[in-house]
Amino acid sequence: MLSQKTIDIVKSTAPVLEKHGVDITKHFYKRMFTNHPELKNVFNQSNQREGRQPQALAASVYAAAANIDNLESILPVVHLIAHKHRALGILPEHYPIVGENLLAAIKEVLGDAATDEIIEAWAEAYGVIADVFIQVEEELYQQAEANGGWRLFKPFKVVKKEQENDLIASFYLTPEDGKALPPYRPGQYITVKVKAPGEEYTALRHYTVSQAPNGNVYRITVKREAENHPKGVVSNYLHDHVQEGDTLEISAPAGLFTLTENGNPVLFVAGGIGVTPQYAMLDSMEKGRDVSFVQSVRNEKLAVFQERIQNKLNELGGTYFVKYSDTDGYITKEDLDRFIKDHSEVYICGPEKFMEALIPMMRELGVPDERIHFEFFGPGLSFKA
Ligand code: HEM
């Protein structure tokens, strides 16, 4: 239990730290990677280069601190982060390393303003916040292990590699130990761990399982990025080096971007490769639920899953609307208005600019926030919807 004095200090200094948040977290990462270079095996070095991860970490630490006397209120965010942490294999012993380096970075940036009393209060508060994460993550590890699942990473064989188009390929993966795959919720992602040639550290990336659960195969569908683009380290490695018969280390499915089970009409809005979780959800749907699928993609050559989407929608009696941005422009509010029904649950996934445009449009069209579900491929909390 934190004392009232500690709570008061943390709450009153949270805004000051927030103001310097990005500076502090940048110092923090520099310091932590100097002291613990092995953690570069876990952290996405492309996110580091783009400054996204410092923003995401800063935002969440200060949000937690500002609510230190009511951590219940931030549990939904904790769950979102904990799913990512569990997928990456973050363990209790990592928390003191982050804590120690974060506090040292606060001291470095704030200088004399960070008195011993303030630092001690933050150390205590960090301990409480870390315990919440550790507990939630342990529950997720246990869920991952249940029903014949596994805790960290396990080897999978690539049983099929299928070129969907010039830039996109699907990989079909089965566990090398021959065990059946435990159930997952369509829309969830698995995490692939690779060591690309010329890279000193392993890299971990999340890829949505791009079809409904079938008990023995995970399919991921991966877009090639421009050559040497930091974002493409793992995707391009998969395209260029991973062939049928190869082995990939995979962690169990995670994530909260999944279909609601309340029977409300569903509207999927997919941009580019953001179609993968939405197709998995659609693929798992049964007749009886109203469904529409809106897809924005640059052109026909880059589109994936169109035939599969159309076939499934025919089976469900759903509606399909595709817009090619190269020739027809972007999705408009008027386009969306045609597909929004009473109580529609809206699912949005695509590139950052797409989400930035689409989420406000949904609000303007009267869809309440609790029915706007979205997934951003990247550090989610650096994305402001
Ligand atoms: C991702 C917060 C502790 C490793 C994240 C994200 C947040 C966050 C907000 C972004 C989630 C997203 O992608 O949407 C926190 C907080 C912590 C904490 C508040 C402490 C209370 C740790 C620890 C480790 C860790 C102890 C391991 C040393 C990572 C990694 C990512 C991540 C590897 C993925 C992003 C990347 O690779 O750049 N964390 N985290 N975190 N966290 Fe933590």
Side-chain angles (χ1 to χ4, degrees):
M1 269 292 274
L2 295 175
S3 69
Q4 192 55 45
K5 191 168 171 215
T6 302
I7 292 173
D8 291 345
I9 294 174
V10 168
K11 287 185 81 161
S12 65
T13 49
V16 185
L17 267 78
E18 189 171 17
K19 206 170 129 229
H20 297 278
V22 174
D23 265 356
I24 293 172
T25 37
K26 277 189 180 151
H27 263 73
F28 153 73
Y29 278 114
K30 223 172 120 204
R31 208 177 179 280
M32 185 172 74
F33 290 139
T34 307
N35 295 333
H36 291 273
E38 75 283 3
L39 286 179
K40 289 189 181 175
N41 284 310
V42 189
F43 281 87
N44 180 336
Q45 297 301 304
S46 319
N47 286 346
Q48 293 294 323
R49 284 188 274 265
E50 290 178 3
R52 280 193 178 285
Q53 184 53 26
Q55 284 170 33
L57 183 86
S60 60
V61 170
Y62 303 123
N67 291 286
I68 191 69
D69 49 352
N70 178 25
L71 285 176
E72 297 279 302
S73 67
I74 59 150
L75 273 182
V77 180
V78 172
H79 275 270
L80 195 76
I81 302 168
H83 270 258
K84 291 241 164 105
H85 281 165
R86 200 288 287 143
L88 297 161
I90 305 304
L91 296 170
E93 56 265 36
H94 293 129
Y95 279 85
I97 300 176
V98 165
E100 188 194 319
N101 287 286
L102 190 59
L103 289 168
I106 291 175
K107 254 185 163 160
E108 263 171 62
V109 173
L110 296 190
D112 290 345
T115 60
D116 287 351
E117 196 180 37
I118 291 177
I119 293 294
E120 272 160 36
W122 273 83
E124 268 188 70
Y126 175 81
V128 170
I129 295 166
D131 283 347
V132 173
F133 275 87
I134 290 169
Q135 195 188 333
V136 172
E137 284 159 21
E138 177 52 26
E139 283 162 20
L140 294 179
Y141 278 115
Q142 287 179 14
Q143 282 168 25
E145 270 182 311
N147 305 315
W150 68 104
R151 199 170 175 89
L152 291 166
F153 286 81
K154 89 171 179 178
F156 276 66
K157 177 96 44 219
V158 179
V159 287
K160 183 168 146 193
K161 178 175 177 181
E162 185 178 37
Q163 208 61 41
E164 302 280 356
N165 60 37
D166 288 352
L167 288 184
I168 297 172
S170 288
F171 297 78
Y172 293 74
L173 311 164
T174 59
E176 288 196 342
D177 63 13
K179 286 192 180 166
L181 293 175
Y184 62 90
R185 300 193 61 196
Q188 289 195 306
Y189 52 82
I190 54 175
T191 304
V192 179
K193 173 156 71 175
V194 302
K195 190 153 186 299
E199 296 286 331
E200 199 180 345
Y201 298 100
T202 58
L204 306 174
R205 291 293 185 283
H206 310 296
Y207 294 100
T208 314
V209 186
S210 62
Q211 63 185 6
N214 59 21
N216 51 26
V217 176
Y218 289 148
R219 181 180 72 196
I220 57 171
T221 302
V222 180
K223 180 168 165 261
R224 181 192 280 286
E225 298 294 337
E227 212 176 317
N228 296 328
H229 193 290
K231 265 192 182 155
V233 172
V234 177
S235 296
N236 292 356
Y237 171 79
L238 293 174
H239 273 272
D240 294 336
H241 296 278
V242 174
Q243 307 301 343
E244 287 174 11
D246 287 351
T247 298
L248 287 174
E249 294 283 318
I250 306 288
S251 75
L256 293 166
F257 185 59
T258 57
L259 205 56
T260 57
E261 280 162 12
N262 56 15
N264 285 343
V266 178
L267 169 58
F268 294 114
V269 188
I273 194 65
V275 70
T276 49
Q278 319 220 18
Y279 176 70
M281 293 185 215
L282 176 74
D283 191 28
S284 70
M285 285 178 74
E286 287 173 10
K287 228 176 153 141
R289 194 165 180 186
D290 185 286
V291 56
S292 308
F293 207 110
V294 172
Q295 188 177 17
S296 168
V297 63
R298 273 178 52 199
N299 53 52
E300 214 165 338
K301 272 183 79 180
L302 291 180
V304 273
F305 299 159
Q306 291 198 306
E307 207 182 316
R308 293 176 183 131
I309 294 170
Q310 187 63 68
N311 289 344
K312 184 71 191 185
L313 287 167
N314 290 347
E315 185 191 318
L316 299 173
T319 321
Y320 194 13
F321 174 73
V322 183
K323 201 157 178 180
Y324 297 115
S325 57
D326 279 354
T327 47
D328 313 332
Y330 293 115
I331 307 260
T332 63
K333 216 161 98 175
E334 292 67 39
D335 293 331
L336 296 172
D337 199 20
R338 292 163 45 205
F339 301 100
I340 294 173
K341 316 213 164 121
D342 277 350
H343 300 102
S344 279
E345 302 282 345
V346 175
Y347 289 82
I348 307 175
C349 185
E352 190 168 2
K353 291 257 169 328
F354 176 83
M355 315 245 305
E356 275 169 1
L358 274 272
I359 294 170
M361 275 186 212
M362 289 299 178
R363 290 184 179 135
E364 283 162 33
L365 289 165
V367 183
D369 277 356
E370 65 270 20
R371 288 200 219 105
I372 305 177
H373 312 272
F374 59 88
E375 174 102 314
F376 168 57
F377 291 163
L381 297 178
S382 65
F383 176 76
K384 299 251 184 313

